[in-house]
Amino acid sequence: MSNIVDVDRLLDSFLDRGIPGCGLKVVQNGEVLYEGYHGYSDIEDHAPVTSSSIFRLASMSKIPLYTTMMMLYEKGKFLMTDPISDWLPEWKSMKKFDHDENGYIHIVDAKKPITVRDVCSMKCGLPYCNSQEVTDNPVLTSMQKCMKPLIEKGHFTNREHVKAMSEAVLACEPGEKWIYGFSSELACALIEAITDKPVDEVFKEFIFDPLEMNDTRSRFEGDHEKRLVTLYRQSDNGPVPFKNSFFDDKHIPGAEHEQGWARLYSTVEDFSHLMQMLSEGGIYKGKRLLSPTTINMMRANGLSEKQLLDYANTYEMGYGYGYGVRTLIDKGAGDHSGALGSFGWTGGFGTWCEADPEDGVSITYMHNLMPDDELYTHHRVRAVSYGLIK
């Protein structure tokens, strides 16, 4: 069994590897097993990481996103089998790339519509497209063509992004392959269309206010910008501030800063409230936000054996994929000491989280660094955190 000293020692060792600062909170059935903050939010100013330090979530924003989708599902707003064109009509008739037996590529009509299930399980058929760099990938080239007018415009809403991308050619038949990427933009657009509200308002109503997540937003409020930790990049001489403001400009209020759906920022404390709710059957401080049956549905593996091959990598060993989350399906393959069905996600700047409903455990870890050193840090955080379980 690990103890607080072991956890402190591990997190301190991360600082020696170049992690500027980090925070971790582990909770079991409402009891805090560990909460600690190490290093600096800004090395140059010697400002320490604290419980009020704000971190960029990047793709860990998908946990609130898909939790909201599941909340709407259990309210009867849609079925997973519904075509997304019921709300996003421009996505009704899609094209796909087809590879014939001679190796030639053709553009043909997709046989099936993209469904809500496809969107929630990363099977819409489109990856992310984050640059206009020349590529020999026909799918990315198709997506770049759709994106070009928006990039030239300089700012765009998520609805504009989704509408423009409906002209892209899919990599495969919807539902056929697990492809990480544009499904999240579609999920965001669906939330807005189903509720007839901006996604930020829906998050606030469904998740942030009930879970007392006052420091979790997509646009800066109050002193949030001042509390945002400095983003560093790794170098041979240690962490160096990342001067490019590209990653933070989208958090500035105002239409001129919109870049589709802006990913969220949060504190360890804030995000831990969400993970506690998910690990404790949908209840937070006595109030139910989500049914445990819906959480079980969310964390059920939905990948076939073939799709698991698309998903597999060293970092995700032992996991399958449910609705917007990784989910543990093989403890041995992943050297994982938590319970089967433990689920969560990761953010590209170094954030990681997991909920274990079987033992009522939630783990929330954050740092911000590029590259994020996730293979070294996250699995060690996972091991030492599960070692605290009583």
Side-chain angles (χ1 to χ4, degrees):
M1 183 173 183
S2 60
N3 57 43
I4 291 175
V5 174
D6 295 320
V7 184
D8 282 339
R9 186 181 295 117
L10 176 67
L11 298 185
D12 281 337
S13 75
F14 290 173
L15 308 183
D16 296 332
R17 288 180 58 84
I19 303 296
C22 58
L24 171 66
K25 186 170 184 179
V26 184
V27 182
Q28 184 176 24
N29 295 320
E31 178 185 353
V32 178
L33 303 185
Y34 178 86
E35 183 174 10
Y37 303 93
H38 298 249
Y40 296 107
S41 62
D42 188 286
I43 298 173
E44 291 70 30
D45 291 343
H46 299 286
V49 171
T50 69
S51 60
S52 63
S53 296
I54 290 175
F55 295 82
R56 301 156 189 81
L57 294 179
S59 287
M60 208 162 82
S61 304
K62 291 177 174 62
I63 301 293
L65 175 69
Y66 288 102
T67 298
T68 300
M69 286 293 290
M70 301 311 293
M71 289 176 168
L72 291 171
Y73 171 81
E74 70 174 20
K75 292 179 182 296
K77 298 296 184 179
F78 58 82
L79 295 177
M80 290 295 178
T81 51
D82 288 341
I84 65 170
S85 58
D86 287 356
W87 298 274
L88 309 173
E90 67 272 18
W91 286 77
K92 186 172 184 178
S93 300
M94 300 302 295
K95 302 286 186 180
K96 68 172 183 176
F97 286 108
D98 183 62
H99 300 255
D100 67 25
E101 59 185 13
N102 295 317
Y104 293 104
I105 301 176
H106 309 275
I107 297 177
V108 300
D109 291 332
K111 298 176 182 178
K112 298 185 295 183
I114 298 173
T115 64
V116 179
R117 175 185 288 126
D118 297 332
V119 166
C120 289
S121 57
M122 290 288 171
K123 299 175 189 173
C124 80
L126 290 176
Y128 279 125
C129 176
N130 295 322
S131 79
Q132 289 288 304
E133 293 182 9
V134 176
T135 174
D136 58 3
N137 184 315
V139 179
L140 288 179
T141 300
S142 171
M143 296 176 76
Q144 288 172 338
K145 183 179 179 181
C146 297
M147 281 294 298
K148 188 176 180 180
L150 297 181
I151 292 174
E152 291 175 347
K153 178 184 175 185
H155 59 89
F156 49 90
T157 65
N158 189 68
R159 188 68 189 90
E160 290 174 320
H161 191 188
V162 165
K163 189 171 184 178
M165 203 62 79
S166 68
E167 298 295 325
V169 181
L170 306 179
C172 59
E173 193 69 30
E176 181 181 346
K177 294 183 178 182
W178 187 90
I179 302 176
Y180 188 63
F182 199 72
S183 288
S184 292
E185 273 61 33
L186 289 171
C188 176
L190 284 172
I191 289 172
E192 293 187 328
I194 290 168
T195 63
D196 195 28
K197 296 178 181 178
V199 70
D200 289 337
E201 290 184 17
V202 182
F203 284 164
K204 192 171 185 297
E205 176 186 346
F206 281 44
I207 295 180
F208 300 158
D209 283 353
L211 291 175
E212 303 173 303
M213 297 172 67
N214 298 319
D215 290 329
T216 307
R217 297 289 187 270
S218 67
R219 314 287 178 187
F220 290 133
E221 295 181 6
D223 66 347
H224 288 172
E225 186 173 9
K226 292 181 180 179
R227 289 195 278 132
L228 185 69
V229 303
T230 300
L231 178 60
Y232 288 89
R233 62 177 177 83
Q234 297 190 52
S235 77
D236 293 338
N237 298 317
V240 176
F242 188 85
K243 297 297 186 182
N244 191 326
S245 63
F246 169 79
F247 294 112
D248 296 337
D249 285 350
K250 61 181 175 290
H251 297 309
I252 301 172
E256 68 274 19
H257 299 293
E258 289 186 343
Q259 295 288 327
W261 173 47
R263 300 305 190 262
L264 304 170
Y265 57 78
S266 187
T267 63
V268 170
E269 175 61 31
D270 256 26
F271 209 83
S272 180
H273 299 175
L274 172 58
M275 300 312 293
Q276 287 176 63
M277 183 273 287
L278 293 172
S279 71
E280 296 177 30
I283 295 176
Y284 179 75
K285 291 189 174 180
K287 182 178 180 180
R288 179 169 297 283
L289 277 73
L290 199 58
S291 166
T293 59
T294 305
I295 294 173
N296 288 341
M297 177 182 172
M298 182 181 186
R299 67 190 179 112
N301 174 52
L303 302 184
S304 66
E305 289 187 16
K306 184 177 180 181
Q307 290 167 343
L308 281 170
L309 296 177
D310 297 329
Y311 179 72
N313 59 64
T314 302
Y315 182 79
E316 299 287 3
M317 291 297 293
Y319 289 102
Y321 195 81
Y323 286 141
V325 294
R326 71 166 68 91
T327 184
L328 183 62
I329 59 175
D330 188 335
K331 296 176 65 169
D335 296 319
H336 196 303
S337 51
L340 290 174
S342 297
F343 67 103
W345 200 241
T346 297
F349 297 127
T351 55
W352 181 89
C353 65
E354 194 152 283
D356 172 2
E358 300 307 315
D359 295 307
V361 172
S362 64
I363 308 168
T364 305
Y365 170 81
M366 295 185 187
H367 73 244
N368 276 177
L369 182 69
M370 297 176 60
D372 62 10
D373 203 17
E374 62 181 22
L375 269 174
Y376 184 90
T377 57
H378 292 173
H379 290 177
R380 284 171 169 79
V381 166
R382 186 180 73 189
V384 76
S385 297
Y386 279 110
L388 295 168
I389 293 178
K390 297 180 179 181

